Amino acid sequence: MNLDSIPEAASRQDQLYQEAAASYGTALGRLARGYEADPDRRRDLLQEIHLALWQSLAGFDARCSLRTWLYRVAHNVATSHVIREHRLNSRTMVGIEALETLPAKNDERDRDSSRESNIDRRHALAKLLLLIHQLKPLDRQIMLSYLEDMDAASIAEITGISPGNVATKIHRIKNVLTTKFHQGEDHGK
Amino acid sequence: MENETGGDVKNLWQNQQAEPIQISLAELHQKAQKLEQRVRWRNLGEYAASAIVIACFGFYIWKFPAPMIRFGCMLVIAGVLFVVYQLHKKGAARTVPAEMAFRTCLDFHRQQLERQRDLLRGVWTWYLLPFVPGIAVFLIGLFRWTMTLPHAPAHARVIIITFALTAAACALVFFAIGKLNQWAAQKLQREIDALNEMEKES
């Protein structure tokens, strides 16, 4: 292929995409996992995210960082997917506040697994994903961004929720995680 | 303790086994082309359906001598052209992927749902109403012309009932389409309300 024939804008778009995919490709895989449990549909969702990201980068004007740009596109595509699936399956989604009050499931399994080993990573990850998949889109965006180690200001920039409210949500997320993930240990002691 | 758990869970999340996805630029270009092709085929389908309707009513203009029927046919054709133009215009207003990055997640979804809701709510004005004058004039013209035929007086009752039933069926179909779209718009409105509620809660 003759590279000289590619218009400058298109080559910039490709270059930006490659940069984004190299830096955040794995994070996008995790993000898709937070939105879709079925492996085949998850692969489709991830491809849809990559395609939307590449297409969107034709209009990248550096009004925000590449990271914010990428996460906005990814969350918007993934949330559209969740809403579409939700409309088909009528699955109930709840806010993070509701999870604070929900009783923990699989208590027996938690106790047994924590007796055997404190770090049953696969089981813990499955439990975490179960929590995430119950969340409404906005709360899910905050939870996933928190798990990616973003601060409140960055999360606010992506989601459009005020930093103060994001901080409150994060506090609640931490409470939920403490309740759900330390319960097993406490029982075991 | 809270921080400890948060850190542990973040660690667990970030170090999970990744499912690598390799999409080359060539594949992306191909996928984008396929997507464009799909949209183009869908549009072509809409245009083909409109062409068939226009051809049918064009044939009636040629076939029927009564000026009122011809005028009705012209109105129907004008209605079809108006709807095709509206479909083309509304289709062109689809979201550009870059818009996903310009808007926050909250704004983006509200806007998407509002756009769909407005499209459904306005179905009467841009999709159904344009056909009403044409079909009404066509049916009245056809009825009047039928009544002038030599054997018509002997079968007047049957002719009147047939035309009344046809008009009622047309009205029923229009009403059903309008009502279904209205229900769908109400459903979307509930989703928008839920989003607004979510924003307030947050």
Side-chain angles (χ1 to χ4, degrees):
Chain A
M1 191 167 36
N2 180 10
L3 284 176
D4 294 338
S5 66
I6 300 171
E8 200 184 318
S11 89
R12 184 173 169 268
Q13 175 191 3
D14 290 351
Q15 201 184 335
L16 278 168
Y17 168 75
Q18 279 174 321
E19 192 186 319
S23 308
Y24 300 102
T26 322
L28 286 181
R30 289 194 292 264
L31 184 140
R33 213 168 178 199
Y35 281 98
E36 180 55 68
D38 179 81
D40 289 333
R41 282 206 294 265
R42 186 160 65 233
R43 210 169 299 122
D44 290 344
L45 171 64
L46 197 50
Q47 289 195 356
E48 207 185 322
I49 291 172
H50 276 268
L51 182 62
L53 174 65
W54 174 72
Q55 287 177 318
S56 77
L57 287 169
F60 183 70
D61 55 4
R63 70 174 67 185
C64 59
S65 67
L66 184 60
R67 187 180 75 151
T68 301
W69 182 283
L70 171 138
Y71 275 113
R72 274 187 186 169
V73 173
H75 280 300
N76 282 336
V77 173
T79 304
S80 293
H81 171 84
V82 167
I83 289 174
R84 211 163 47 224
E85 293 287 310
H86 175 65
R87 217 173 278 158
L88 292 175
N89 305 327
S90 305
R91 218 175 43 207
T92 317
M93 288 187 278
V94 296
I96 191 75
E97 300 78 10
L99 285 187
E100 274 182 301
T101 54
L102 272 181
K105 288 177 185 170
N106 304 328
D107 281 349
E108 283 305 317
R109 271 168 61 198
D110 287 350
R111 242 171 277 163
D112 291 341
S113 63
S114 58
R115 267 184 214 132
E116 286 166 14
S117 152
N118 254 346
I119 322 163
D120 184 357
R121 296 183 77 87
R122 268 180 66 186
H123 176 218
L125 189 63
K127 201 164 132 182
L128 179 61
L129 282 165
L130 201 71
L131 272 179
I132 294 168
H133 289 154
Q134 288 178 65
L135 286 174
K136 283 179 178 174
L138 266 184
D139 284 351
R140 203 182 299 201
Q141 286 160 12
I142 297 172
M143 170 79 118
L144 291 172
S145 305
Y146 165 76
L147 290 173
E148 289 297 334
D149 224 3
M150 286 184 204
D151 58 22
S154 306
I155 298 174
E157 200 186 355
I158 292 166
T159 58
I161 303 170
S162 70
N165 284 327
V166 170
T168 311
K169 290 270 185 192
I170 289 176
H171 178 73
R172 287 191 168 133
I173 288 170
K174 284 177 180 173
N175 278 346
V176 170
L177 294 178
T178 305
T179 314
K180 308 288 175 193
F181 285 85
H182 271 258
Q183 227 161 25
E185 282 178 28
D186 295 341
H187 281 300
K189 275 170 196 170
Chain B
M1 188 178 177
E2 250 182 40
N3 288 338
E4 207 179 292
T5 310
D8 285 350
V9 179
K10 277 182 192 174
N11 191 281
L12 174 75
W13 179 254
Q14 288 171 27
N15 291 311
Q16 64 181 286
Q17 205 181 355
E19 293 162 19
I21 176 164
Q22 297 289 331
I23 305 183
S24 68
L25 283 170
E27 271 177 291
L28 282 175
H29 288 245
Q30 210 177 3
K31 275 180 191 294
Q33 268 172 358
K34 265 190 191 165
L35 201 72
E36 271 174 35
Q37 230 165 27
R38 215 183 306 157
V39 174
R40 214 174 300 144
W41 274 110
R42 201 199 55 200
N43 288 345
L44 265 177
E46 281 166 6
Y47 296 143
S50 313
I52 290 170
V53 176
I54 290 173
C56 280
F57 281 89
F59 172 72
Y60 293 158
I61 292 176
W62 171 74
K63 176 86 181 162
F64 291 102
M68 198 169 179
I69 297 179
R70 288 180 163 176
F71 182 57
C73 291
M74 283 176 206
L75 284 177
V76 170
I77 291 173
V80 171
L81 291 175
F82 178 78
V83 170
V84 168
Y85 169 70
Q86 290 294 322
L87 279 172
H88 180 76
K89 204 171 79 173
K90 288 173 201 301
R94 265 190 306 267
T95 313
V96 220
E99 220 180 288
M100 289 189 179
F102 294 158
R103 291 171 177 272
T104 61
C105 301
L106 191 68
D107 275 351
F108 177 77
H109 284 289
R110 198 175 13 225
Q111 182 227 13
Q112 292 286 302
L113 294 173
E114 282 171 352
R115 199 173 66 88
Q116 286 177 37
R117 177 204 59 192
D118 294 343
L119 208 67
L120 294 171
R121 262 187 193 167
V123 89
W124 261 110
T125 49
W126 71 269
Y127 191 71
L128 297 175
L129 225 52
F131 290 114
V132 172
I135 289 176
V137 173
F138 177 75
L139 280 178
I140 294 168
L142 197 63
F143 173 71
R144 286 176 58 172
W145 177 75
T146 312
M147 291 305 275
T148 61
L149 294 174
H151 302 296
H155 304 96
R157 183 179 271 190
V158 178
I159 294 169
I160 291 170
I161 291 174
T162 307
F163 271 92
L165 284 177
T166 309
C170 287
L172 196 73
V173 168
F174 274 57
F175 179 77
I177 294 173
K179 209 68 194 160
L180 281 174
N181 282 283
Q182 203 182 328
W183 281 335
Q186 279 168 355
K187 207 175 156 198
L188 285 175
Q189 184 57 51
R190 282 198 290 276
E191 285 182 36
I192 295 165
D193 292 342
L195 263 188
N196 289 336
E197 200 59 39
M198 204 189 292
E199 189 182 23
K200 264 190 241 160
E201 280 171 17
S202 72

